[in-house]
Amino acid sequence: MLFVFLQIGLYLGVLLLLVKPLGLYMARIYGGEHTFMTPVMEPIERLVYRASGIKQSDEMDWKIYAVAVLLFNMAGLLLLFIIQRIQGFLPLNPQALPAVAPDLAFNTAISFATNTNWQSYNGETTMSYLTQMMGMTVQNFLSAATGMAVLIALIRGFTRHTINTIGNFWVDMTRSVLYVLLPLSLVLSIVLVSQGVVQTFDGAQTVSLLQKTQDINGQTISEQAVAVGPAASQIAIKQLGTNGGGFFNVNSAHPLENPTPFSNFLEMLAILLIPAALCYTFGRMVGDTRQGWAILAAMTLIFVAVLIVSVWAEQRGNPVLASLYIDQSPGNLQPGGNMEGKELRLGIADSALWATATTAASNGSVNAMLDSFTPLGGLTAMWLMQLGEVVYGGVGSGLYGMLAFVIIAVFVAGLMIGRTPEYLGKKIEAFEMKMASIMVLVPVLVVLLGTAIAVIIPEGKQAVFYNPGPHGFSEILYAFSSAGNNNGSAFAGLATNTLFYNIMLGFVMLIGRYWVIIPALAIAGSLARKKIIPVSSGTLPTHTMLFITWLITVIIIVGALSFFPALSLGPLVEHLMAK
Amino acid sequence: MSDKSSILHQLRIALKCLVVLTLITGIIYPLIVTGIAQIVFKYQANGSLIAENGKRFGSELIGQPFSDPKYFWGRLSATTPYPYNASASSGSNYGPLNPELDEEVRARIKVLKTVDPDNMKPIPVDLVTHSASGLDPHISIAAATYQVHRVAFVRGLSEEIVNALVTRYTEGRQFGFLGEPRVNVLKLNLALDQLPGQTGSSKM
């Protein structure tokens, strides 16, 4: 158990130590200040602007900003769809994979453009190297940069006053790619290769088996074809950009995607790094770093509480197997616990920590099979998504989602103490409250409605052929929670590569992404127009422990009330059955 | 609306910007990573393949299926159409209460008991459960120790020799504290076959 605490402590320690330097760096990048990367990246940045016809000084109001976001994302989505459909005619396809089926290509294009990275496909048997690189890796960068840009626009809503404009999307997005995501990805991918992550354009490597085996038809198999590919470059950005779509089918459980405990540590760190650091960026940009730390504290407190439950549930093991003559107790000779669907090198602690980080952030990559988690372990993962992906959350999207909760918390507190609600010197009025409510409630709505439709119609129910009982319901609820909140992880036993799920989840991902982005930008536009009111004795301080507790309460009340009935039909009843 | 802010103007930028950034992040970036990887970490970048005299014995990161009592066995693999199919990674995705999980664990226990009837120790859980990838190259030290008696007996070796090999192919926690201590099953079995008097060929 010592090593469990040591690894978790080290993880949180390193994460929190990196928040300030990276957060400060990003604040300077978005402020257009000179940094150590400027000499390297500025020429490339200028090249991008010149080639695309972008004028740095062009300022946008919130509507044009939103139009730019939507057009850019739509174009990326279309390009990824087309690449998948014609990959059979394109180079870098050593396994000679045919075109991806239209409904699957539709689902995957949306999935990557919305930063969800839900995987209905099997990476190594469906997508060519070119599709992975020019399609998916690109969207990994661009969807992440989109989220960061929207956040920066929202922050400008607080910092600017009596003005219509909130920045230039093209500049914010390009800087996110060139100064933040690209350098970090370059470094991370090389370190990952040093640990054994593959990076090659060769096709599958054939090796001989030491002991021959048989396939299900009784054919003798004497060789193993080891799938490889340009994986490291994609895995680095998939972790850093809270994307989560793996190069291989089993994502970061695959030994060539996540070979060692150190690669695992770095990949986990990359999940929360940017979302956590953006809190500091926020505090810095609004001129009061305490505001950023307060939000980070609220996120971290929820994270740690949920993490403890997850580790405890998984280390306890599977009660059903307890009656058999097997040893599930942890120690220095074995990880013990619920090892079904987990990798030995990662054991329980690293698997539960990853599951918590990947669902707290809207990353969605996995290093263990969440479908095989204990009922309570699976519940924690599902619930973190259902909170709206605001505990760190996606890059950019996590913090703008969290700021919606802050607005609601400030508004409700204002009503309770009978004062005009204000946050960071801006009056929070009916319009902001309406938009924040849309941001919080639309994902809840599509998750619950989607689940309801899927459990009623036959096409929805047919996908549950694997795990009977309440676990089957959990699988469907998990799928919609993941899609509606743009997470992308799955209870993978659900057979979702069907027309119904590909289309349905595709639309759920679109609504869950853009019906949060558009109101967030609307808030930015509305706030930017307002005057800044000086702090007075009547101002509710928003950096205190009291406010942090209040914010957590609001998040949990919304999350708990919205999903408690659904959760009791799935993981909760399953937990009780396991006794 | 001025021309600068028109939708058409933004669309033109969107398309051009997408092309430029696709070049940078989708072609130049993976090529740079591949270039560095192939020069600096050639072995790792190509799959960590164990090769000798031009023959490839496997990847040290990818497990292989073992069912012969003279070999150490790895984790259960749920890949199709055969176990440890390294072209189609997959977990079992059994929910914790799935009756099939219970059946498969019981079946595995039965097989382990049949090939090693005198072993009365409880079976380490990783030896009766599916890995997440279906390609897990490792088992726990406990799972290896559990099998020492059987492997030594079938091969006519002393348990000390087999234990010494297990120790040799045990990897500790990385840097002393990361991950889990583990035994590489393929490397251990390759080493067993290379002991004097042991043969590399195997029956099914």
Side-chain angles (χ1 to χ4, degrees):
Chain A
M1 282 313 273
L2 170 71
F3 287 98
V4 174
F5 291 117
L6 200 64
Q7 295 192 67
I8 291 173
L10 185 84
Y11 176 74
L12 285 171
V14 173
L15 177 70
L16 294 176
L17 274 179
L18 290 173
V19 161
K20 189 175 169 184
L22 181 62
L24 182 62
Y25 170 76
M26 288 193 285
R28 300 182 65 170
I29 293 299
Y30 291 118
E33 292 172 46
H34 195 278
T35 65
F36 72 101
M37 284 302 288
T38 311
V40 188
M41 286 300 177
E42 206 183 23
I44 307 175
E45 185 188 359
R46 272 204 299 263
L47 192 81
V48 174
Y49 295 157
R50 205 167 38 237
S52 320
I54 297 164
K55 253 189 86 183
Q56 267 196 77
S57 52
D58 280 352
E59 284 279 327
M60 298 174 171
D61 65 21
W62 80 265
K63 285 179 187 156
I64 287 296
Y65 204 105
V67 164
V69 168
L70 292 176
L71 287 175
F72 186 59
N73 281 217
M74 212 51 67
L77 194 161
L78 264 175
L79 177 68
L80 178 52
F81 179 80
I82 293 168
I83 292 178
Q84 292 179 78
R85 293 291 293 148
I86 60 171
Q87 68 173 11
F89 305 105
L90 299 175
L92 290 182
N93 186 5
Q95 307 300 123
L97 298 167
V100 180
D103 59 319
L104 180 57
F106 169 83
N107 182 282
T108 307
I110 293 178
S111 164
F112 276 72
T114 57
N115 200 251
T116 310
N117 313 79
W118 171 264
Q119 283 178 274
S120 260
Y121 61 92
N122 176 323
E124 59 265 48
T125 57
T126 316
M127 301 295 175
S128 77
Y129 294 169
L130 187 102
T131 308
Q132 298 256 23
M133 278 166 51
M134 274 183 67
M136 293 167 158
T137 303
V138 171
Q139 283 308 310
N140 278 350
F141 277 100
L142 302 188
S143 64
T146 298
M148 294 162 84
V150 171
L151 170 69
I152 298 306
L154 178 57
I155 296 175
R156 288 201 191 101
F158 289 105
T159 58
R160 294 181 174 186
H161 60 93
T162 50
I163 190 168
N164 265 325
T165 58
I166 54 172
N168 181 321
F169 169 70
W170 305 112
V171 173
D172 294 338
M173 187 272 302
T174 305
R175 285 190 180 152
S176 305
V177 171
L178 295 182
Y179 289 90
V180 184
L181 298 171
L182 204 52
L184 283 172
S185 301
L186 258 173
V187 174
L188 180 60
S189 46
I190 299 297
V191 182
L192 288 180
V193 174
S194 80
Q195 295 299 302
V197 177
V198 287
Q199 180 74 25
T200 168
F201 291 115
D202 289 342
Q205 303 290 309
T206 304
V207 300
S208 53
L209 287 177
L210 186 55
Q211 185 198 334
K212 294 184 178 63
T213 188
Q214 280 187 338
D215 71 8
I216 41 170
N217 303 317
Q219 292 283 102
T220 300
I221 306 289
S222 57
E223 285 181 333
Q224 194 181 35
V226 179
V228 293
S233 53
Q234 183 175 334
I235 293 159
I237 182 61
K238 127 193 159 192
Q239 297 303 111
L240 284 162
T242 56
N243 296 284
F247 192 87
F248 298 108
N249 185 44
V250 292
N251 212 297
S252 279
H254 198 294
L256 296 179
E257 184 150 343
N258 185 12
T260 66
F262 183 52
S263 70
N264 186 70
F265 183 85
L266 293 177
E267 288 183 21
M268 278 198 303
L269 192 64
I271 294 177
L272 295 186
L273 180 63
I274 296 177
L278 279 170
C279 292
Y280 187 86
T281 310
F282 164 73
R284 176 87 184 181
M285 286 177 76
V286 299
D288 182 359
T289 48
R290 292 174 310 177
Q291 305 294 340
W293 288 119
I295 288 178
L296 186 65
M299 292 173 171
T300 307
L301 287 171
I302 299 177
F303 180 78
V304 171
V306 175
L307 176 63
I308 291 170
V309 177
S310 181
V311 174
W312 169 77
E314 293 312 301
Q315 192 66 72
R316 222 167 123 247
N318 186 344
V320 177
L321 304 183
S323 63
L324 304 175
Y325 196 53
I326 59 177
D327 186 2
Q328 296 194 74
S329 59
N332 268 330
L333 300 179
Q334 66 161 12
N338 177 27
M339 280 303 286
E340 178 68 20
K342 293 191 179 65
E343 296 284 292
L344 201 280
R345 64 193 176 282
L346 308 173
I348 300 295
D350 284 345
S351 300
L353 179 53
W354 183 300
T356 310
T358 196
T359 48
S362 74
N363 186 285
S365 62
V366 293
N367 72 351
M369 292 298 113
L370 297 174
D371 216 349
S372 299
F373 268 43
T374 61
L376 289 184
L379 180 136
T380 58
M382 209 183 306
W383 193 60
L384 277 171
M385 299 189 299
Q386 290 164 344
L387 290 182
E389 293 299 11
V390 295
V391 180
Y392 306 110
V395 287
S397 63
L399 190 48
Y400 63 68
M402 185 55 126
L403 287 171
F405 273 108
V406 170
I407 286 172
I408 292 171
V410 166
F411 192 84
V412 176
L415 290 184
M416 285 160 66
I417 54 177
R419 291 209 181 94
T420 320
E422 55 188 77
Y423 182 56
L424 306 176
K426 290 294 175 86
K427 249 189 222 168
I428 303 298
E429 291 166 299
F431 181 76
E432 288 77 31
M433 188 56 190
K434 278 184 208 159
M435 291 299 127
S437 305
I438 292 176
M439 290 170 73
V440 169
L441 293 180
V442 163
V444 173
L445 197 72
V446 289
V447 170
L448 291 176
L449 271 179
T451 307
I453 293 171
V455 296
I456 291 169
I457 71 166
E459 287 84 353
K461 286 185 283 188
Q462 273 156 15
V464 183
F465 61 90
Y466 210 60
N467 287 300
H471 198 80
F473 175 77
S474 297
E475 288 182 334
I476 296 178
L477 180 62
Y478 196 100
F480 283 95
S481 301
S482 178
N485 292 290
N486 299 137
N487 180 278
S489 65
F491 274 13
L494 190 71
T496 53
N497 189 9
T498 61
L499 189 64
F500 169 75
Y501 277 101
N502 279 336
I503 303 291
M504 184 85 176
L505 292 173
F507 282 112
V508 167
M509 288 187 274
L510 280 178
I511 297 170
R513 176 76 166 175
Y514 299 106
W515 278 98
V516 177
I517 283 185
I518 295 169
L521 290 172
I523 293 176
S526 161
L527 290 176
R529 276 194 296 272
K530 294 181 193 226
K531 291 191 299 245
I532 292 182
I533 337 162
V535 178
S536 70
S537 59
T539 308
L540 172 76
T542 49
H543 61 269
T544 57
M545 200 55 220
L546 179 67
F547 184 77
I548 293 170
T549 314
W550 171 237
L551 178 60
I552 294 174
T553 311
V554 170
I555 294 167
I556 289 182
I557 287 175
V558 172
L561 288 186
S562 311
F563 288 101
F564 184 73
L567 289 171
S568 36
L569 292 175
L572 287 177
V573 76
E574 193 187 14
H575 174 68
L576 296 175
M577 283 167 67
K579 293 279 156 154
Chain B
M1 249 186 226
S2 72
D3 177 55
K4 277 282 161 59
S5 55
S6 76
I7 291 180
L8 204 63
H9 176 69
Q10 299 301 331
L11 181 63
R12 271 196 296 269
I13 295 181
L15 295 177
K16 284 188 274 188
C17 192
L18 179 63
V19 172
V20 178
L21 290 178
T22 297
L23 280 174
I24 294 175
T25 62
I27 295 176
I28 298 174
Y29 157 69
L31 284 180
I32 291 177
V33 176
T34 310
I36 299 175
Q38 288 294 337
I39 293 167
V40 187
F41 302 110
K42 198 165 171 49
Y43 173 74
Q44 292 95 319
N46 293 300
S48 307
L49 301 178
I50 309 168
E52 212 173 284
N53 304 327
K55 189 167 189 272
R56 288 160 158 188
F57 294 98
S59 161
E60 64 170 303
L61 293 174
I62 299 289
Q64 292 193 0
F66 292 105
S67 56
D68 190 322
K70 74 173 187 175
Y71 286 124
F72 282 87
W73 298 357
R75 309 283 311 275
L76 289 177
S77 165
T79 63
T80 53
Y82 53 90
Y84 288 89
N85 177 358
S87 292
S89 58
S90 172
S92 74
N93 283 315
Y94 285 141
L97 303 194
N98 192 322
E100 285 178 43
L101 170 65
D102 192 46
E103 271 171 42
E104 286 197 27
V105 171
R106 283 172 194 274
R108 175 74 161 183
I109 293 173
K110 208 174 147 200
V111 180
L112 282 162
K113 290 282 177 199
T114 312
V115 293
D116 192 11
D118 304 335
N119 196 338
M120 292 303 158
K121 287 182 284 187
I123 304 172
V125 63
D126 58 292
L127 206 50
V128 298
T129 46
H130 299 86
S131 64
S133 62
L135 305 172
D136 196 340
H138 301 114
I139 51 175
S140 66
I141 300 173
T145 310
Y146 178 85
Q147 302 182 70
V148 165
H149 170 73
R150 181 194 80 221
V151 173
F153 179 77
V154 174
R155 286 179 178 263
L157 292 167
S158 77
E159 290 192 23
E160 285 75 42
I161 292 180
V162 179
N163 262 323
L165 274 188
V166 168
T167 311
R168 211 171 110 200
Y169 289 97
T170 298
E171 298 163 42
R173 297 181 201 272
Q174 206 169 3
F175 312 130
F177 57 89
L178 281 182
E180 298 291 331
R182 55 208 183 274
V183 178
N184 190 305
V185 180
L186 176 62
K187 283 200 215 166
L188 175 58
N189 285 334
L190 282 168
L192 275 171
D193 277 352
Q194 277 166 9
L195 287 175
Q198 299 290 326
T199 165
S201 65
S202 73
K203 54 184 190 290
M204 287 279 284

